[in-house]
Amino acid sequence: MAEGAGEEKKKFSIWDLPDVPVGQLPPHLELQRSRVSCNKDAPIHTESIQYSGAYASMGIDNSSRLDRFSNNFRVEVVRLNEDDMEFDMIGIDAAIANSFRRILIAELPTMAIEKVLIANNTSIIQDEVLAHRLGLVPIRVDPRLFDYLSENDQPNEKNTVVFKLHVQCKRGSPRITVKSDALKWLPNGSELVKETRNATSDSSSKPETYTYFGCSQETIPEFVKNPIIPKYPDIIIAKLGPGQEIELEAHAVKGIGKTHAKWSPVATAWYRMLPEVVLLEDIEDDLAEELKSKCPVNVFDIEDLGKGRRRATVARPRACTLCRECISGDDWEKRVALRRVKDHFIFTIESTGALPPEVLFTEAVKILEDKCERVITELS
Amino acid sequence: MEHGSFTDNSVATFSLTDEDHTIANAVRFTLNQDPRVTFCGYSISHPLEARVNIRVETTGGPAREVLKDACQNLMLMCRHVRCTFDKAVEDFKASNAVKAMKIDSQDSSGDDSEESE
């Protein structure tokens, strides 16, 4: 069948043929445009046809208009817990979904321990290893309440959270494990006194410490009932033998995942495209049993047709992990087609606890908007 | 900053600092959708330098305006995504609350599973 608009030389136009849908793509082109075909060796048609004039000769307008996007876009939440969520985004393109994923992992700010002032460490864990482990402990505090601390700033109650860790294993007692619940929040700032050169300075004023808190952080309304603590109290930080002691102060500041992974607010965030499993021909009896047993995640089911005949059906395509077992033997590729829908993304977000996952996603979208605005102002 | 020619403002390369694939791929997608664009693409010359070069060629209008419109479109798309997402989360929470109430009222031992399939 000839594709494209009818030419003057032919006596009839392709649009006069009864089965060519006008204003829509023919089914094989629609398959190419909207599905990734996962064959036995490699997937094909993976790129998304974005160019606005892509199907111009068929009379299709591939350019996006905001109203078409707004009408077709849907979000369906599948699972929403305190720390993770799974939801479907339908009608969006991979470029934007990937931008959200990258922002979730690397550009959402969090609070994490950055400076560790060690007064005493006689344990076998080295100072730097201890400091590194402390940095990776997730802290349950909303980072939106704090500002960034830059090099010229002084650490004050608006940009620093101070923790103290003082553990000692007495001689004669058994070994102890230092867990993250040993980190105590100091709402009034640092307690370590800075050594000043002039010992004759007025001793009536308060000694200078490493932070300059104007007021106690406990007075901030959000922290009155919820003290700032690590999210998980049972993270092992160090182990002490008899006679060993750790005394340190840890300052947590705001940062983004790009600088260091400790500031990433998600354990991880990922998406996959919705799998579509299609039976190209009727699969009956023994072949149906074989197909059902091949799939490790039970995508297929057998239904009874009566008179002892059975037929295979696709029951749970969403569970498909694309292991390609169902197309692995000979001839199976002609019977089963594995595809992915290009504009349906199943997003999973696992938060480390600072913010709930739905807030994380909203903040990520806001950050993308801010980036666009920054580009626009740079251009004008 | 824009690298173009003074005489022909329909083709230009825009160099954005402190950006990477996150914004560049999204902007390239919205640019492609614009019917005034004949060519668009982005490149990152060196991975250690945070600079993205976006090349835009249009059918006649100024490239800067087309890029601005693409960024505007992307912003509007993001806003719509945010609204739809917030509404979906609210609906989900509301429907779960109703389900939890129904289960609680049916049997005295409260059912813990609030996950929908």
Side-chain angles (χ1 to χ4, degrees):
Chain A
M1 190 168 97
E3 297 170 351
E7 304 156 58
E8 306 307 311
K9 294 182 232 166
K10 293 209 172 19
K11 290 204 190 96
F12 67 96
S13 159
I14 195 113
W15 301 117
D16 295 338
L17 287 177
D19 55 349
V20 173
V22 182
Q24 275 177 28
L25 285 176
H28 62 289
L29 284 184
E30 184 64 28
L31 186 72
Q32 253 186 27
R33 188 180 74 93
S34 67
R35 304 284 192 271
V36 175
S37 302
C38 303
N39 299 337
K40 203 158 38 167
D41 40 2
I44 52 177
H45 308 144
T46 52
E47 69 288 335
S48 52
I49 316 261
Q50 303 163 357
Y51 177 49
S52 60
Y55 297 108
S57 58
M58 308 277 318
I60 312 286
D61 179 14
N62 200 21
S63 78
S64 121
R65 263 168 288 121
L66 207 56
D67 44 355
R68 216 160 39 149
F69 169 75
S70 312
N71 291 339
N72 297 345
F73 181 66
R74 273 175 14 238
V75 171
E76 282 160 25
V77 180
V78 170
R79 191 183 66 218
L80 178 58
N81 300 331
E82 189 194 328
D83 283 336
D84 60 4
M85 78 181 294
E86 185 181 327
F87 63 97
D88 285 13
M89 286 215 287
I90 305 159
I92 202 171
D93 186 76
I96 321 252
N98 195 31
S99 293
F100 292 148
R101 183 194 64 92
R102 287 175 67 102
I103 294 180
L104 276 166
I105 292 179
E107 298 194 42
L108 274 180
T110 340
M111 303 290 287
I113 291 176
E114 164 85 347
K115 271 209 176 68
V116 179
L117 307 167
I118 303 186
N120 191 1
N121 178 19
T122 45
S123 73
I124 53 167
I125 313 287
Q126 297 93 339
D127 286 350
E128 59 270 17
V129 175
L130 191 55
H132 179 246
R133 289 177 75 82
L134 283 170
L136 293 173
V137 169
I139 302 176
R140 200 186 65 181
V141 60
D142 188 343
R144 298 174 288 186
L145 303 168
F146 289 90
D147 305 326
Y148 285 98
L149 172 68
S150 67
E151 281 166 18
N152 321 329
D153 288 343
Q154 287 196 336
N156 57 31
E157 71 275 9
K158 289 198 193 45
N159 50 35
T160 315
V161 178
V162 182
F163 293 95
K164 178 174 137 128
L165 179 65
H166 189 177
V167 225
Q168 206 179 21
C169 183
K170 300 215 183 340
R171 282 207 180 279
S173 56
R175 279 180 276 192
I176 57 175
T177 309
V178 180
K179 299 210 175 153
S180 53
D181 55 2
L183 279 169
K184 301 272 175 292
W185 178 38
L186 299 177
N188 289 319
S190 166
E191 288 171 1
L192 289 180
V193 177
K194 256 193 210 171
E195 293 173 5
T196 46
R197 285 297 160 90
N198 36 353
T200 54
S201 61
D202 39 359
S203 51
S204 55
S205 67
K206 263 197 325 220
E208 198 183 335
T209 64
Y210 284 94
T211 57
Y212 303 89
F213 274 40
C215 62
S216 166
Q217 277 174 332
E218 262 169 342
T219 55
I220 300 177
E222 285 84 8
F223 300 137
V224 171
K225 287 282 168 49
N226 339 334
I228 302 180
I229 48 169
K231 168 79 179 180
Y232 301 100
D234 53 355
I235 299 177
I236 298 178
I237 299 180
K239 293 196 179 186
L240 292 178
Q244 294 175 353
E245 184 185 353
I246 296 181
E247 184 179 353
L248 55 81
E249 225 181 59
H251 296 191
V253 295
K254 190 166 160 172
I256 56 175
K258 246 199 229 186
T259 330
H260 191 286
K262 68 186 176 191
W263 277 301
S264 178
V266 291
T268 189
W270 76 93
Y271 64 81
R272 59 188 182 114
M273 293 194 273
L274 181 76
E276 193 185 42
V277 184
V278 173
L279 298 175
L280 298 171
E281 40 179 59
D282 271 343
I283 301 187
E284 307 202 338
D285 300 335
D286 291 336
L287 281 183
E289 295 286 340
E290 197 188 329
L291 183 62
K292 181 168 173 195
S293 58
K294 267 209 225 186
C295 183
V297 283
N298 296 332
V299 168
F300 300 100
D301 253 349
I302 307 273
E303 68 171 1
D304 276 320
L305 288 175
K307 292 195 209 145
R309 286 171 52 222
R310 300 163 329 256
R311 192 172 59 180
T313 54
V314 180
R316 286 160 292 269
R318 198 185 159 100
C320 176
T321 55
L322 223 61
C323 64
R324 291 183 170 94
E325 268 301 311
C326 44
I327 49 174
S328 59
D330 349 283
D331 285 348
W332 277 106
E333 264 200 284
K334 294 199 293 253
R335 299 184 194 122
V336 181
L338 284 179
R339 300 190 197 132
R340 292 214 185 239
V341 185
K342 274 190 209 173
D343 62 351
H344 186 141
F345 293 94
I346 303 174
F347 244 97
T348 315
I349 303 179
E350 292 179 5
S351 159
T352 48
L355 289 169
E358 65 270 11
V359 175
L360 281 177
F361 187 75
T362 318
E363 293 293 313
V365 181
K366 274 193 218 164
I367 289 188
L368 187 58
E369 282 177 36
D370 289 340
K371 280 185 186 254
C372 290
E373 231 182 273
R374 196 149 28 107
V375 172
I376 294 181
T377 42
E378 247 189 64
L379 286 178
S380 331
Chain B
M1 79 197 76
E2 179 180 355
H3 304 281
S5 99
F6 287 117
T7 46
D8 180 12
N9 67 350
S10 73
V11 306
T13 304
F14 298 92
S15 199
L16 306 173
T17 43
D18 278 340
E19 297 292 353
D20 57 357
H21 303 275
T22 310
I23 182 96
N25 202 14
V27 164
R28 183 193 59 92
F29 167 71
T30 39
L31 267 175
N32 239 326
Q33 304 279 359
D34 194 335
R36 296 174 287 176
V37 164
T38 55
F39 176 88
C40 72
Y42 79 92
S43 79
I44 299 188
S45 307
H46 195 282
L48 293 177
E49 185 191 4
R51 179 184 292 268
V52 172
N53 303 320
I54 304 184
R55 172 101 183 148
V56 184
E57 290 182 15
T58 68
T59 49
R64 177 184 286 250
E65 296 305 314
V66 173
L67 183 62
K68 261 202 264 184
D69 285 345
C71 289
Q72 268 308 108
N73 271 350
L74 186 58
M75 265 177 77
L76 294 173
M77 277 172 79
C78 286
R79 279 204 199 122
H80 182 75
V81 166
R82 201 154 35 111
C83 288
T84 320
F85 179 77
D86 285 337
K87 209 153 61 77
V89 167
E90 259 179 53
D91 291 343
F92 182 80
K93 284 190 184 160
S95 78
N96 264 13
V98 167
K99 246 195 248 178
M101 279 193 328
K102 267 201 231 157
I103 295 176
D104 279 342
S105 63
Q106 270 173 13
D107 47 27
S108 49
S109 60
D111 196 346
D112 262 352
S113 66
E114 286 190 9
E115 300 175 14
S116 71
E117 288 185 339

